[in-house]
Amino acid sequence: MTVSIVRFGGSNCDRDAKRALEHLGIDAEIVWHEDGLPADTEGIVLPGGFSYGDYLRAGAMAARSPIMESVREAASEGVPVLGVCNGAQIGCESGLTDGAFTTNESARFQCEHVYLRVERADTPWTAAYEEGDVIEIPIAHGEGRYEIPDDRLAKLEDDDRVLFRYCDENGETNPAANPNGSKNAVAGVLGDRDTVAVMMPHPERATLPDIGPTDGRGVLRAFE
Amino acid sequence: MTAYTATVTVRLKHGVLDPEAETTKQALERLGFDLEDLRSADRFEIDLEADSADAARERADEMAERLLANPTIHDYDVEVDER
């Protein structure tokens, strides 16, 4: 599979994603957004960073760039799409996934390791885990608090679209283990299809063995 | 065509936590001010030409819907004045 990693002005996790994917033996190339999606794209990563300087709202500008039309079209055809951090913000802003990521409860940028509970193991992103598994993955964001009106959150949960929740090391959700004040501790959600996912934590930063835990590998293995 | 300024004000929906506003409120209190609550909002002033105030409002409204506001977390209002 060839994964296209979409680089916007201000993306900064594009190279990390490429390196992590290649470490797993997955072909990946960085694609400048103005060049459009290559014809051989079989998977898409919207990487982290600060596209367009987070002007207006994080992800707002990139979500409305022409390449996102192609990304939405590919997603609707079943091409796997993963949005990480700024890519998650872009995913929500562009309607690939429901909800919004906004200012952390702390009003601060937070860069730390967190625990996530795997809410569903029957998706391409979580096939390497068991439901209820606790994995350790870093976050690095100022606007990662998941917000969504209560009725839509209820529907999201009823439809089993929550992929990961922030939890403590025992897998329990509680305010102390919710780093940014996300509603119901949501850390990652699925789109209409299971092949579309966004998450604030960085699986590509938990893949190479020389920089710490490698629990994020399972997520990227969806592209194998 | 008439020249208008459409002012779009974008606010967080009632009930959505606003940590920046909370931090600002605390800073004001630290300076000795007495206040009950504080809300922040973004204001966009858009100069445009349109056939009527309604047409100007409609265009600004669409700008808010499609970009300036995120309907998941924001409410907005539009005011139109002749320039």
Side-chain angles (χ1 to χ4, degrees), chain A residues 56-57 60-61 64 92-93 98-107 145 147-149 152, chain B residues 10 12-13 15-20 23 42 44 65-74:
Chain A
L56 194 62
R57 298 177 300 276
M61 299 294 171
R64 288 154 182 87
C92 279
E93 278 279 344
D98 201 6
F101 292 101
T102 187
T103 313
N104 292 350
E105 192 174 21
S106 66
R145 175 170 57 98
E147 269 293 344
I148 185 170
R152 275 157 60 188
Chain B
V10 178
L12 283 173
K13 280 182 180 170
V16 175
L17 183 72
D18 186 346
E20 289 179 5
T23 305
D42 289 328
F44 303 89
E65 282 288 329
R66 292 187 53 191
L67 177 65
L68 301 178
N70 178 340
T72 298
I73 51 174
H74 293 135

Side-chain angles (χ1 to χ4, degrees), chain B residues 35-76:
Chain B
L35 69 162
E36 272 180 38
D37 201 5
L38 178 152
R39 289 168 295 282
S40 62
D42 289 328
R43 187 167 103 153
F44 303 89
E45 296 171 1
I46 303 160
D47 293 342
L48 44 80
E49 301 220 333
D51 289 336
S52 66
D54 280 349
R57 177 183 304 279
E58 201 174 311
R59 207 185 306 162
D61 202 72
E62 198 182 344
M63 292 180 195
E65 282 288 329
R66 292 187 53 191
L67 177 65
L68 301 178
N70 178 340
T72 298
I73 51 174
H74 293 135
D75 287 327
Y76 67 90

Side-chain angles (χ1 to χ4, degrees), chain A residues 15-176:
Chain A
R15 286 175 300 170
D16 306 43
K18 181 173 163 69
R19 200 164 155 194
L21 286 164
E22 286 177 346
H23 179 78
L24 299 175
I26 299 163
D27 280 340
E29 63 174 315
I30 294 170
V31 174
W32 177 238
H33 72 100
E34 286 181 348
D35 295 340
L37 279 183
D40 64 348
T41 298
E42 293 174 290
I44 298 168
V45 172
L46 302 172
F50 300 87
S51 58
Y52 298 88
D54 279 353
Y55 288 177
L56 194 62
R57 298 177 300 276
M61 299 294 171
R64 288 154 182 87
S65 63
I67 197 171
M68 287 306 296
E69 292 280 340
S70 317
V71 172
R72 277 193 294 267
E73 196 179 310
S76 71
E77 288 165 1
V79 173
V81 179
L82 175 67
V84 171
C85 198
N86 188 225
Q89 296 160 337
I90 295 168
C92 279
E93 278 279 344
S94 68
L96 277 172
T97 46
D98 201 6
F101 292 101
T102 187
T103 313
N104 292 350
E105 192 174 21
S106 66
R108 292 182 183 166
F109 188 90
Q110 286 172 251
C111 187
E112 59 202 65
H113 278 251
V114 298
Y115 294 106
L116 304 179
R117 188 174 72 205
V118 177
E119 299 294 291
R120 283 191 50 188
D122 58 342
T123 78
W125 315 104
T126 48
Y129 314 111
E130 301 289 334
E131 192 178 315
D133 271 1
V134 176
I135 60 176
E136 183 184 344
I137 294 193
I139 56 165
H141 60 243
E143 296 172 50
R145 175 170 57 98
Y146 189 69
E147 269 293 344
I148 185 170
D150 289 339
D151 55 331
R152 275 157 60 188
L153 179 59
K155 183 172 189 314
L156 197 79
E157 293 181 330
D158 285 350
D159 293 347
D160 257 346
R161 308 323 288 165
V162 179
L163 190 59
F164 297 111
R165 288 186 211 269
Y166 298 108
C167 65
D168 63 20
E169 59 188 326
N170 300 313
E172 301 295 328
T173 56
N174 60 61

